Amino acid sequence: MNGLFEYIKTVFKGVGTLLTGMKITGSYFFRPWKHVTQQYPENRETLKMFDRFRGEVIMPHNENNEHLCTGCGICELNCPNGSIEIISMSVLTEDGKKKRAIDKHIYHLGMCTFCNLCVKACPTGAIIMGQEFEHAVWDRTKLTKVLNLPGSKIAQGVKE
Amino acid sequence: MGFNIYDFTGMTHNMHVSFMEHMSPLMTTIVEWTIIGVCYLLFIALFGLFLVYAERKVCAMFQQRMGPMRVGYWGLLQTIADFIKLLMKELITPKGVDKFLYNLAPFIIMIATFMAMAVLPFAKGLQTLDFDIGVFYVTAVSSIGVIGILIAGWSSNNKYSLIGAMRSGAQILSYELSVSLSLVTMIILAGSMQLSVIVEGQRDAWFIFKGHVPALIAFVIFLIAGTAETNRGPFDLAEAESELTAGFHTEYSGIKFAFFFLAEYINMFIVAAMAVTVFLGGWMPLHFGSLESFNHVMDFIPPLVWFFLKVGGVIFLIMWFKWTFPRLRVDQILTLEWKYLLPINLVNILLMSLVVLTKFHL
Amino acid sequence: MSETKEIIISTDKIHTDQYLVNMGPQHPSTHGVLRLLVSLEGEVVHHIQPHVGYIHSGIEKMCEAISYPQIIHLTDRMDYLSAHMNNEAVALCVENALQVEVPDRVKYIRTIMDELSRLASHQLWWCVMGMDLGALTTFFYGLRDREHILDIFEETCGARMTVNYNLPGGLMFDIHPNFQKRVKDFLKEFKTKLPEYDELLTGNVIFRQRVDNIGHLTLEDAIAWGVTGPSGRGSGFSCDVRKHQPYSAYPMVQFEEKLDTKGDSFVRYRLRIEEMWESIHIIEQLIDNIPEGDYAVKMKGVIKLPEGEFYQRVESARGEFGVYIVSDGKKNPYRVKFRSPGFSNLFALNKMAAGHKIADLVAIMSTLDLVIPDIDR
Ligand code: SF4
Ligand code: SF4
């Protein structure tokens, strides 16, 4: 008799735990306004990444098409996977001295692991992390970018 | 040709008579069969696709998601797009399969589904076959499906498929018993195996109310066993995704896979429809004994709507199970059947007989 | 009598064989490219031979060519669910080698980040555990809550999973001004969600049937196979590095090392749920008391370790994670070896799962909480 009682108890207890689970899922079913997913391409306008989000390395230019990069190559040294190539050139300053300047700051987005080490290492703060995250392109060569804009030059007063 | 959304008997009868006037009896039979066949095909394709859509939406709601939203308004055409995709996919026949059986299996499953559909009463007069052994017939043909699953698993030449098929065989054979016994419980109450009579018997009150506790227990057992028979979660061992990748239909692709997929959903519909017919009054409106005005309002809703509302409700319940519970293990499934459902069922039949003998249900 | 005997003999002649099934490298339940060579007798698992190396990426070898700050960013990619702990292990190892003392602020923030990672990792484990057992809805509930932690990471560290927040000598950035508020909001909400986990899965009779008394691992076996983390603690192996060799701010907080001796799947499951509560507890103690100060000490531009061998271990979400660096005084290490918890845990699988059913094998594997890049590195 005791066994039968136990048997019935297990049946009811089991059903009880199942109903508890169904209560949880059911409570979410009947609260559809609690959806947590986003409709991604539709919400492009309102979708804003956090300031620190590391989407790609960019080099900001001011309105005179000037940047802060001296071409020192420290970012290239700090990059763990060779995503940055610095091609420097020498320019003559006004007082006739030779000085190193950036010719091309080549950035291979396809190889970058977004580790932030180059940004951290850059002595002049010439490169920062951009928030763009839609990087898909049709052609892999498009992933190789030259960060300094054509015709740009170094801003006044940047010391090495 | 009279058209009455509350009673289709007149309409079908008129159609039959007008056909007879213009054609020979043989021709009439052929034409009528074709019409019915096309109707069922359309129904299975469209309703199956709708069920897939509904399942995706329902599970999304349970999971705080939106589900398909892209194709059509709220993703309504998503499953149709998927179906077209499946139609265009290559039919892959892996090396070493038993070609004949491999190609036969999806059809067996589909045929079993079609056959079971034939006796379901959708509304008054909207029933293809009205056997006097309707309930028996449904349980009989629905077990043909398992042969399809076994053949699919065996012929695929894949160990996962074979394990899945064997699991499914053991499971469906056991749960057949519970399904039949819970139906037997209700047959005792109804006094007939003919589905139209069973529905007619629920004119004043559905059997689940009439039969008191035993009917309720039988209903719960029928739901559990029915879910198990359709291989749906938490009893989806045969295709247990995390264990057997896709179980018995691992090797199927394209439209053959779609057959299995559709059959699963239509089977779910059949189980729900049987539950509705036997327990929840079929297409009968909801009636309460003495509330005359309430009963009258309920009568205004057409039987087809009643039927599909109730079926929808049961299907929702089945989906709710699937999206809440973990899957059982194969030995636990058999334990549940043989140690719990079967004894409870047998006691339940006894109880029901007592209820009927003492005329407690009237 | 003699007749029965004959029948027995004749059944003996029926030739039954074990058969091999390759679970993986592409299989839904191995969560990556792990291949288990399983020999089965019907449904019963007889022996499991894990084959690893499908996504071996040679991180240890790569480390020999790069500098120490760069090594840290590679460790993100091993056990990507406990990226913070991996980062911290390398950072601590380098700091100890150079005998640099980091400010308290760094220690506090590191510890908070560790525990947030642990929470996130355990949440993901919970959803995957449910999914492996067929309860697909748990997957989304777990991810839903984990999302908040990833947002916290993203705001402060700039990335969601490959955070790379530690540097030798401190942190990459200071915490974001919103950090404390966000963490507190999250904890408040998560404390209401965690009981739901229990109601949905822990108490569920089907779930309990699937994990209770399944996959026993004895204490001896746990020690012999080096099973650490919650999996080892489930067998009574007290191996919490946070207790035994406290690092960062762990000496300053009160918490319990959850232990159990039963060693079955359910215990391993329960310990992880309890660890989530402990993590919440630890974060609560720290979050309001983050001391002012620098977020990093000034290090040399090129970090060179003195000649010698250095070892540091931390408690990652899966168990003991160790970094062993051999330095020859250059800016690159001579040799780096990572002791990853997943690798040792995986190979105890045969001990636990042999004799159970295939479905149990999947459940047991889930309770080990395997991350394949952690195993293959
Ligand atoms: S973010 Fe890292 S990987 Fe990318 S360019 Fe900078 S240093 Fe190289
Ligand atoms: S970006 Fe910065 S580190 Fe790189 S070359 Fe320019 S100034 Fe030097």
Side-chain angles (χ1 to χ4, degrees):
Chain A
M1 210 57 222
N2 219 346
L4 185 68
F5 185 67
E6 281 294 314
Y7 176 86
I8 293 171
K9 216 170 88 182
T10 41
V11 170
F12 274 97
K13 245 175 110 181
V15 172
T17 60
L18 295 182
L19 289 180
T20 330
M22 284 176 70
K23 193 189 81 198
I24 300 278
T25 45
S27 78
Y28 283 115
F29 182 86
F30 292 111
R31 281 183 295 170
W33 57 92
K34 286 228 165 189
H35 278 159
V36 288
T37 48
Q38 300 174 351
Q39 290 296 98
Y40 160 54
E42 283 89 352
N43 71 351
R44 268 212 186 108
E45 261 80 74
T46 53
L47 188 69
K48 198 178 162 304
M49 304 308 284
F50 292 110
D51 307 336
R52 288 183 185 174
F53 176 72
R54 306 201 287 258
E56 60 177 340
V57 176
I58 52 173
M59 184 181 283
H61 288 63
N62 67 7
E63 62 277 10
N64 301 331
N65 203 8
E66 289 171 338
H67 54 72
L68 303 175
C69 177
T70 59
C72 65
I74 291 178
C75 53
E76 186 180 4
L77 280 177
N78 271 278
C79 181
N81 39 36
S83 309
I84 295 179
E85 277 174 56
I86 302 292
I87 299 178
S88 56
M89 55 181 180
S90 27
V91 287
L92 287 178
T93 50
E94 283 126 45
D95 42 348
K97 270 192 228 146
K98 267 198 180 166
K99 197 172 162 238
R100 196 159 61 149
I102 187 84
D103 180 15
K104 273 185 182 157
H105 188 295
I106 299 172
Y107 168 54
H108 301 279
L109 177 60
M111 282 155 70
C112 178
T113 48
F114 313 110
C115 65
N116 204 41
L117 289 174
C118 52
V119 174
K120 183 99 180 156
C122 175
T124 58
I127 43 177
I128 57 168
M129 278 290 178
Q131 273 76 45
E132 176 68 38
F133 59 91
E134 291 164 326
H135 289 314
V137 285
W138 288 107
D139 184 355
R140 216 188 318 174
T141 54
K142 293 214 173 65
L143 290 175
T144 298
K145 301 177 177 180
V146 178
L147 292 189
N148 53 333
L149 296 181
S152 64
K153 57 181 195 302
I154 186 163
Q156 288 295 305
V158 179
K159 286 198 292 288
E160 253 186 67
Chain B
M1 227 189 263
F3 185 74
N4 181 352
I5 51 166
Y6 297 98
D7 187 351
F8 290 88
T9 339
M11 188 183 95
T12 43
H13 181 73
N14 287 347
M15 271 169 83
H16 181 70
V17 170
S18 61
F19 280 142
M20 282 299 250
E21 278 170 11
H22 300 290
M23 286 177 267
S24 65
L26 179 70
M27 229 11 222
T28 311
T29 322
I30 292 174
V31 168
E32 280 175 359
W33 282 7
T34 320
I35 291 176
I36 291 167
V38 169
C39 282
Y40 272 118
L41 256 183
L42 275 180
F43 176 78
I44 286 189
L46 292 180
F47 196 69
L49 288 180
F50 172 74
L51 273 182
V52 177
Y53 170 77
E55 162 114 73
R56 290 177 66 176
K57 272 291 181 202
V58 165
C59 96
M61 299 274 269
F62 277 126
Q63 300 169 345
Q64 298 192 283
R65 297 184 289 125
M66 312 258 233
M69 291 291 283
R70 296 265 180 260
V71 192
Y73 181 71
W74 274 71
L76 259 173
L77 302 178
Q78 178 69 49
T79 44
I80 297 182
D82 286 348
F83 192 67
I84 294 171
K85 179 201 76 178
L86 280 176
L87 275 177
M88 295 196 300
K89 277 199 157 180
E90 185 189 352
L91 288 173
I92 298 167
T93 311
K95 211 168 141 190
V97 302
D98 186 330
K99 284 232 175 61
F100 175 67
L101 293 180
Y102 179 78
N103 291 323
L104 183 68
F107 293 101
I108 292 187
I109 289 185
M110 260 324 205
I111 287 168
T113 313
F114 263 91
M115 283 167 80
M117 290 278 285
V119 286
L120 295 179
F122 289 91
K124 192 172 172 62
L126 216 57
Q127 184 182 10
T128 316
L129 290 172
D130 196 7
F131 282 151
D132 50 355
I133 49 159
V135 175
F136 179 70
Y137 171 79
V138 170
T139 51
V141 295
S142 66
S143 36
I144 294 179
V146 69
I147 298 176
I149 292 180
L150 281 174
I151 290 180
W154 174 258
S155 65
S156 288
N157 192 26
N158 178 325
K159 287 166 191 165
Y160 288 128
S161 305
L162 187 61
I163 299 174
M166 289 302 156
R167 281 180 176 187
S168 163
Q171 175 188 337
I172 295 184
L173 286 186
S174 321
Y175 278 86
E176 269 304 69
L177 216 59
S178 275
V179 170
S180 322
L181 282 181
S182 55
L183 288 177
V184 165
T185 319
M186 297 319 283
I187 291 169
I188 294 172
L189 183 65
S192 167
M193 284 212 267
Q194 191 167 2
L195 284 169
S196 57
V197 176
I198 290 179
V199 175
E200 216 42 64
Q202 308 182 58
R203 184 165 286 284
D204 42 346
W206 300 353
F207 278 160
I208 195 162
F209 302 131
K210 246 189 189 175
H212 306 289
V213 181
L216 199 68
I217 296 177
F219 179 64
V220 172
I221 291 178
F222 182 81
L223 264 191
I224 296 175
T227 323
E229 256 211 70
T230 50
N231 275 331
R232 278 183 62 83
F235 306 101
D236 55 348
L237 292 148
E239 47 206 271
E241 192 212 306
S242 56
E243 296 150 30
L244 305 178
T245 55
F248 62 89
H249 58 62
T250 308
E251 298 290 356
Y252 285 89
S253 62
I255 191 67
K256 287 187 211 156
F257 166 74
F259 271 13
F260 284 112
F261 202 60
L262 268 188
E264 186 192 324
Y265 281 90
I266 295 297
N267 280 336
M268 178 167 75
F269 165 74
I270 291 171
V271 166
M274 277 308 283
V276 166
T277 311
V278 179
F279 295 94
L280 302 177
W283 41 265
M284 283 291 174
L286 179 63
H287 279 181
F288 283 119
S290 51
L291 294 170
E292 278 306 324
S293 51
F294 176 79
N295 291 351
H296 207 64
V297 172
M298 289 292 139
D299 279 338
F300 268 116
I301 304 173
L304 260 184
V305 175
W306 269 114
F307 181 77
F308 278 102
L309 267 184
K310 288 184 225 171
V311 167
V314 176
I315 287 180
F316 174 72
L317 212 59
I318 295 178
M319 286 180 181
W320 198 348
F321 292 154
K322 166 154 184 172
W323 296 108
T324 307
F325 301 140
R327 184 182 304 123
L328 282 99
R329 203 172 55 210
V330 61
D331 56 323
Q332 287 162 355
I333 278 205
L334 299 183
T335 313
L336 175 69
E337 163 64 19
W338 295 100
K339 276 202 184 154
Y340 292 91
L341 294 189
L342 193 63
I344 292 176
N345 230 330
L346 290 173
V347 174
N348 200 30
I349 289 183
L350 216 66
L351 278 179
M352 184 53 100
S353 315
L354 277 178
V355 167
V356 174
L357 273 180
T358 53
K359 302 231 183 306
F360 188 43
H361 63 293
L362 292 177
Chain C
M1 189 64 208
S2 63
E3 245 182 72
T4 30
K5 208 168 185 189
E6 240 180 65
I7 290 166
I8 290 168
I9 291 167
S10 64
T11 48
D12 272 354
K13 280 181 192 152
I14 297 173
H15 184 62
T16 59
D17 227 353
Q18 289 175 18
Y19 60 106
L20 291 178
V21 168
N22 269 312
M23 272 180 103
Q26 287 93 23
H27 189 275
S29 74
T30 54
H31 307 302
V33 277
L34 171 68
R35 175 170 154 227
L36 300 177
L37 194 57
V38 187
S39 47
L40 295 168
E41 272 181 10
E43 281 256 352
V44 180
V45 173
H46 204 261
H47 184 82
I48 303 147
Q49 179 61 51
H51 287 256
V52 298
Y54 283 86
I55 50 163
H56 181 68
S57 45
I59 287 184
E60 286 176 8
K61 190 72 191 164
M62 274 156 84
C63 290
E64 291 170 19
I66 55 181
S67 68
Y68 294 102
Q70 293 173 346
I71 289 177
I72 292 182
H73 109 283
L74 276 185
T75 58
D76 280 343
R77 283 149 183 88
M78 294 166 38
D79 181 355
Y80 46 82
L81 295 180
S82 19
H84 268 297
M85 291 85 138
N86 297 359
N87 287 176
E88 193 182 353
V90 181
L92 283 174
C93 193
V94 174
E95 282 156 18
N96 289 349
L98 295 172
Q99 284 164 1
V100 175
E101 178 69 16
V102 293
D104 271 356
R105 185 178 178 81
V106 175
K107 290 184 181 169
Y108 272 64
I109 297 172
R110 276 183 181 170
T111 309
I112 293 172
M113 285 297 186
D114 275 2
E115 292 307 317
L116 283 176
S117 308
R118 196 182 314 280
L119 273 177
S121 170
H122 283 357
Q123 279 165 350
L124 188 73
W125 155 80
W126 181 78
C127 27
V128 171
M129 172 106 200
M131 200 176 70
D132 278 347
L133 295 177
L136 293 154
T137 301
T138 63
F139 189 71
F140 292 90
Y141 292 172
L143 282 189
R144 172 196 67 197
D145 300 332
R146 178 167 170 265
E147 199 61 21
H148 297 290
I149 298 185
L150 294 189
D151 275 347
I152 293 171
F153 285 170
E154 191 180 340
E155 192 173 41
T156 287
C157 320
R160 298 168 77 79
M161 292 178 73
T162 52
V163 285
N164 192 26
Y165 188 50
N166 284 292
L167 283 178
L171 305 167
M172 183 74 86
F173 322 98
D174 203 353
I175 49 173
H176 196 273
N178 289 342
F179 178 73
Q180 273 150 307
K181 187 177 161 298
R182 253 181 200 275
V183 172
K184 276 187 272 189
D185 285 351
F186 161 72
L187 287 186
K188 211 166 114 205
E189 194 189 320
F190 187 52
K191 273 200 222 160
T192 64
K193 292 283 161 59
L194 202 43
E196 271 182 18
Y197 287 23
D198 282 342
E199 286 173 37
L200 196 58
L201 212 54
T202 317
N204 191 304
V205 61
I206 303 177
F207 176 74
R208 291 300 289 271
Q209 293 276 326
R210 290 291 305 275
V211 290
D212 267 344
N213 292 321
I214 298 287
H216 281 287
L217 184 72
T218 58
L219 177 60
E220 287 73 37
D221 282 335
I223 294 174
W225 289 92
V227 179
T228 49
S231 318
R233 289 196 279 278
S235 307
F237 178 22
S238 170
C239 56
D240 196 334
V241 184
R242 296 175 292 172
K243 270 277 182 238
H244 293 287
Q245 255 185 24
Y247 52 95
S248 292
Y250 286 113
M252 299 168 225
V253 288
Q254 304 284 323
F255 69 99
E256 254 181 71
E257 177 181 6
K258 296 286 181 192
L259 273 179
D260 203 308
T261 48
K262 205 168 164 216
D264 65 351
S265 283
F266 179 65
V267 162
R268 288 191 285 274
Y269 170 88
R270 208 195 61 217
L271 286 185
R272 284 200 172 86
I273 297 275
E274 282 174 10
E275 265 193 19
M276 285 205 237
W277 285 110
E278 280 306 305
S279 293
I280 293 175
H281 186 54
I282 294 174
I283 299 171
E284 275 177 343
Q285 290 173 52
L286 296 173
I287 191 71
D288 280 324
N289 310 322
I290 301 177
E292 293 299 316
D294 283 336
Y295 63 87
V297 289
K298 190 98 188 87
M299 300 286 278
K300 288 212 197 71
V302 177
I303 298 169
K304 285 184 181 157
L305 254 54
E307 253 177 68
E309 300 172 5
F310 309 97
Y311 186 69
Q312 173 69 42
R313 47 186 196 153
V314 296
E315 180 75 14
S316 93
R318 262 142 279 278
E320 180 184 322
F321 177 81
V323 184
Y324 176 62
I325 299 179
V326 182
S327 166
D328 54 0
K330 302 214 187 74
K331 76 178 172 79
N332 312 328
Y334 177 73
R335 169 83 166 94
V336 176
K337 156 94 184 124
F338 296 113
R339 187 247 183 244
S340 63
F343 188 78
S344 326
N345 292 2
L346 167 67
F347 283 88
L349 186 62
N350 186 30
K351 273 266 177 278
M352 298 184 210
H356 290 297
K357 302 241 168 15
I358 309 176
D360 290 331
L361 168 64
V362 174
I364 293 166
M365 205 152 63
S366 298
T367 63
L368 284 179
D369 192 11
L370 301 174
V371 165
I372 309 305
D374 180 41
I375 297 167
D376 273 352
R377 14 190 226 294

